[in-house]
Amino acid sequence: MAEFRVSRQIDIAARPRDIASVLSDFRRWPEFSAFETTESDIDREFRGAPRGVGAVYEYNSNEERSAGIMEITEARDDLVAVQLRFLKPFKSQMDHRFELTAKAPDLTEVRWVMHGEHKGLLGVLAKYLLPMEKLMGPQIERGLQRLKDLLEG
């Protein structure tokens, strides 16, 4: 098994609750998520709560041949937690946490933490051939920069 944790942060000129509002609404994710910008052919389904805890976003990428289900498990002004279950190409699960810390009245540090564990062959590949830090770190950085541009633009 290969446990991983990837974390990046950025300062955004916005209040924590305004950032949490965007993060807890899956319909807004295509505006900032670096994972969605690489593909044009994604089938999306939104169900459950319209936003916040219980909101579900199911996707199927025809170009990348990947599919998964995301669910918001916690949503507060200082934290948005998302559970991601990959269905293909490999079944796995990881958690995303967006930790929002006010640094000034209109300045927030946003820390995006991705945590999970790969099992079996995927664990070996992730540990030795595709380290999550190198694979996902740049994606998270792009997503945070796009979130900053969205909220500050």
Side-chain angles (χ1 to χ4, degrees), residues 75-131:
R76 306 187 313 251
D77 287 350
D78 65 339
L79 173 73
V80 176
V82 177
Q83 180 185 72
L84 170 57
R85 294 184 310 273
F86 287 107
L87 304 175
K88 65 179 185 177
F90 300 102
K91 289 187 177 184
S92 67
Q93 180 175 313
M94 69 177 63
D95 296 308
H96 292 257
R97 293 175 56 87
F98 297 89
E99 300 165 354
L100 311 171
T101 305
K103 294 176 82 173
D106 287 321
L107 183 65
T108 303
E109 178 185 274
V110 179
R111 179 176 301 275
W112 185 343
V113 180
M114 179 186 300
H115 178 264
E117 183 176 52
H118 293 304
K119 299 176 181 174
L121 178 60
L122 186 57
V124 172
L125 290 173
K127 187 172 183 177
Y128 296 107
L129 300 176
L130 298 169

Side-chain angles (χ1 to χ4, degrees), residues 2-29:
E3 190 171 327
F4 64 88
R5 183 179 191 276
V6 181
S7 176
R8 298 289 192 277
Q9 71 275 339
I10 196 168
D11 289 342
I12 297 178
R15 296 175 298 182
R17 74 171 174 232
D18 296 333
I19 299 168
S21 177
V22 171
L23 294 171
S24 65
D25 184 350
F26 281 135
R27 287 173 177 82
R28 306 271 328 253
W29 278 50

Side-chain angles (χ1 to χ4, degrees), residues 24-26 47-57 70-73:
S24 65
D25 184 350
F26 281 135
R47 51 189 165 83
R51 64 182 306 130
V53 174
V56 175
Y57 173 16
M70 295 191 296
E71 181 175 354
I72 296 176
T73 58

